[in-house]
Amino acid sequence: MAETKDKKKELPWSAYSEAEKKELETLSKGYIEFLTKCKTERESVREIIRQAQAAGYEDLEEIVRSGRKIAPGAKVYCAYMKKAIALFHVGTEPLENGLAILGAHIDTCRLDVKQNPLYEDSGLAYLDTHYYGGIKKYQWVTVPLALHGVVVKKDGTVLDVVIGEAASEPTFCVTDLLVHLSQEQLKKSADKVVEGEKLDVLVGTLPLAGEEKEAVQKNVLRLLQEKYGIEEDDFLSAELSFVPAGAAREMGFDRSMILGYGQDDRVCSYTSLAAMLETKPSKRTACCLLVDKEEIGSVGATGMRSHFFENMLAELMNALGQYSELAVRRALASSKMLSSDVSSGYDALYAEAFDKRNVAYLGRGMVFNKFTGSRGKSGSNDANAEYLGELRAMLDARGVRYQSAELGKVDLGGGGTIAYIMALYGMQVIDSGVAVLSMHAPWEVTSKVDVYEVKKGYAAFLAEA
């Protein structure tokens, strides 16, 4: 017993074999590529579909349209409005016995372009933005930004937009007040130093020849039309976002960490997907559910509060010949879920914000948050002790390193995930994921060890739950 206890205390990296270290680096490389390539929900769904199809998954929508029936062992995916997606690997047991669900979100904090965004002031052309999600607004000034999204023309043509990622392309930024003139600005509280309406992005300064009024704005419009086929009215039917430009990178002299945009929650999305794509046939149906809008309350048609997942499950059960309203409800209530989301990592520079006995540490493995919420657990999903005991046994049997945590000190902490929404069905749910430093900043930090351990943990859950 003492030997087992000591091994549990050993840091994961020290215990890895050379083969495990190689697996870790391979996974980390794929994750860095995913972070670099997928900076919006649409880009994430597109890449997930590509990987799913390569792994033999079929489009459930096409199966339903054809009227074809499927059988246990089938691997299907269903995308919703190009911003959310679920993958199912059908087990041998009836679905009403429940599913093993990994649920994460693929939206992340950013600056969304407004519908009437372009204006000029004193020879400077800007795009007006509205920030998305909980951010420290001052972190977004002077950061190189890229423009990602879609523009939908009146005839239905969809233009995919990515400007500012390649070295040959222009980049953009939100400007800041020079320190020499900022005496009054620096007297403001941090949430007022840069206000939301000041997060407009500078996009041009050159005037259009022959124009006297709004000449810079008109020149920007000319360039948008000539280079990208975008007219001013097209902003009305566009979804465009400014995100940090550039690739995710290895971090540290020892290359032990990953620095990248949008790791909350693409770190859990990617590892959930990786675990899902390698699942073997089993009794219980495995599901990987990746959703939108978590950062703004899981609202809207593609957020977890929507009924799209319930509808997908009903279609899947119908294609299996197992559908009834009661069977769908039993399937949801009997399911077990890991709400795959990040947790705050301990940062020694801000030690006063954490309870050191109940915080996640980088490099120590998968994180469980029994509850989230804020001040008195308000708004929390509080997982049952029996469920935690079951998960502990499952992970210990497979050698997965894990830790438990809270999101900061009791009167400071606060946050939410999709866990409480899925718990409304009566299923067992707990938050589990990866510790992150600088969460919700333009660039966030994770440990390669934790990425590797959480993927192992998710794979164990899909196989054993």
Side-chain angles (χ1 to χ4, degrees):
M1 293 297 293
E3 182 181 350
T4 303
K5 186 175 180 182
D6 290 341
K7 188 173 182 180
K8 278 189 176 183
K9 288 184 176 179
E10 187 178 13
L11 292 178
W13 182 260
S14 303
Y16 286 155
S17 66
E18 289 304 311
E20 288 173 316
K21 290 178 180 179
K22 186 175 180 180
E23 287 178 6
L24 178 150
E25 293 298 346
T26 300
L27 180 69
S28 297
K29 180 181 178 182
Y31 172 51
I32 289 172
E33 291 173 353
F34 182 82
L35 279 179
T36 299
K37 185 176 183 179
C38 304
K39 294 190 176 182
T40 68
E41 309 89 274
R42 290 174 183 266
E43 291 168 352
S44 296
V45 168
R46 191 181 305 134
E47 174 61 15
I48 290 161
I49 290 174
R50 186 191 70 79
Q51 292 193 28
Q53 289 177 339
Y57 280 75
E58 297 182 82
D59 188 347
L60 180 60
E61 186 176 344
E62 293 180 2
I63 293 170
V64 170
R65 191 182 302 117
S66 69
R68 180 162 60 93
K69 296 297 181 182
I70 58 175
K75 298 193 290 186
V76 300
Y77 70 87
C78 186
Y80 193 67
M81 295 188 178
K82 302 179 181 179
K83 297 182 187 178
I85 187 169
L87 288 74
F88 302 92
H89 192 164
V90 180
T92 56
E93 290 185 348
L95 264 69
E96 68 176 83
N97 289 355
L99 298 81
I101 305 172
L102 297 174
H105 68 92
I106 49 178
D107 62 313
T108 194
C109 299
R110 58 185 189 249
L111 303 180
D112 283 344
V113 176
K114 292 184 179 180
Q115 302 329 116
N116 295 293
L118 184 60
Y119 69 95
E120 178 182 342
D121 190 335
S122 305
L124 304 172
Y126 298 91
L127 285 179
D128 198 358
T129 73
H130 193 132
Y131 63 92
Y132 175 99
I135 65 171
K136 292 179 177 178
K137 295 184 283 292
Y138 63 80
Q139 293 180 328
W140 287 76
V141 299
T142 71
V143 175
L145 300 173
L147 186 64
H148 287 237
V150 295
V151 174
V152 181
K153 311 283 281 186
K154 287 190 291 185
D155 64 1
T157 301
V158 178
L159 304 177
D160 288 310
V161 176
V162 178
I163 307 170
E165 295 292 355
S168 60
E169 295 173 341
T171 189
F172 312 92
C173 81
V174 178
T175 58
D176 193 14
L177 183 63
L178 62 161
V179 68
H180 311 74
L181 302 178
S182 63
Q183 291 88 341
E184 294 302 317
Q185 181 195 43
L186 294 176
K187 292 177 183 177
K188 298 178 181 179
S189 60
D191 64 332
K192 298 293 184 183
V193 168
V194 177
E195 298 187 12
E197 289 294 350
K198 299 286 188 184
L199 291 175
D200 294 351
V201 178
L202 184 62
V203 297
T205 60
L206 294 180
L208 183 62
E211 296 289 341
E212 295 183 5
K213 294 183 178 181
E214 299 178 335
V216 176
Q217 178 179 337
K218 290 174 181 176
N219 193 45
V220 169
L221 287 172
R222 178 186 66 83
L223 292 169
L224 287 171
Q225 171 62 38
E226 290 181 0
K227 291 180 175 290
Y228 310 107
I230 300 171
E231 299 177 355
E232 186 168 18
D233 286 349
D234 292 335
F235 284 113
L236 291 172
S237 52
E239 292 177 3
L240 297 170
S241 301
F242 283 105
V243 299
R249 303 276 297 276
E250 293 178 310
M251 180 174 161
F253 289 119
D254 55 8
R255 298 176 180 262
S256 63
M257 296 168 285
I258 295 169
L259 178 71
Y261 163 68
Q263 298 203 68
D264 175 13
D265 185 34
R266 291 195 177 97
V267 64
C268 296
S269 298
Y270 181 80
T271 47
S272 294
L273 175 67
M276 183 69 183
L277 295 182
E278 68 177 34
T279 55
K280 306 298 182 184
S282 64
K283 293 181 180 180
R284 187 181 286 262
T285 293
C287 173
C288 177
L289 173 63
L290 306 174
V291 300
D292 184 21
K293 298 291 191 291
E294 192 275 343
E295 296 294 1
I296 58 170
S298 296
V299 294
T302 53
M304 200 65 255
R305 293 193 192 192
S306 166
H307 294 289
F308 74 85
F309 178 67
E310 189 176 335
N311 296 339
M312 287 178 183
L313 182 59
E315 292 286 5
L316 176 64
M317 296 179 76
N318 191 57
L320 286 162
Q322 300 178 11
Y323 174 78
S324 74
E325 180 64 21
L326 181 58
V328 172
R329 295 191 178 280
R330 285 175 175 170
L332 290 165
S334 301
S335 292
K336 297 176 182 179
M337 178 178 179
L338 296 184
S339 173
S340 308
D341 211 335
V342 298
S343 188
S344 57
Y346 178 75
D347 190 332
L349 297 181
Y350 304 98
E352 67 279 2
F354 303 97
D355 172 3
K356 293 184 73 172
R357 292 186 301 276
N358 292 282
V359 66
Y361 292 87
L362 261 66
R364 297 191 187 179
M366 184 176 185
V367 182
F368 284 108
N369 289 86
K370 185 179 186 295
F371 53 85
T372 52
S374 60
R375 269 75 65 186
K377 300 186 181 180
S378 177
S380 171
N381 171 68
D382 199 342
N384 288 349
E386 291 87 349
Y387 188 38
L388 266 166
E390 179 185 338
L391 292 170
R392 287 175 57 206
M394 183 189 304
L395 298 179
D396 284 346
R398 294 223 171 193
V400 178
R401 306 303 182 97
Y402 58 91
Q403 54 186 316
S404 64
E406 296 182 20
L407 198 65
K409 286 186 175 178
V410 172
D411 285 334
L412 290 180
T417 67
I418 64 173
Y420 77 98
I421 301 169
M422 298 302 279
L424 293 173
Y425 292 113
M427 69 176 68
Q428 295 272 29
V429 187
I430 190 170
D431 288 299
S432 68
V434 173
V436 175
L437 298 185
S438 306
M439 192 190 302
H440 282 213
W443 298 96
E444 300 167 316
V445 179
T446 56
S447 162
K448 288 182 178 179
V449 167
D450 298 335
V451 173
Y452 180 58
E453 289 296 325
V454 83
K455 184 262 184 178
K456 285 170 53 182
Y458 291 164
F461 173 79
L462 291 178
E464 303 290 343

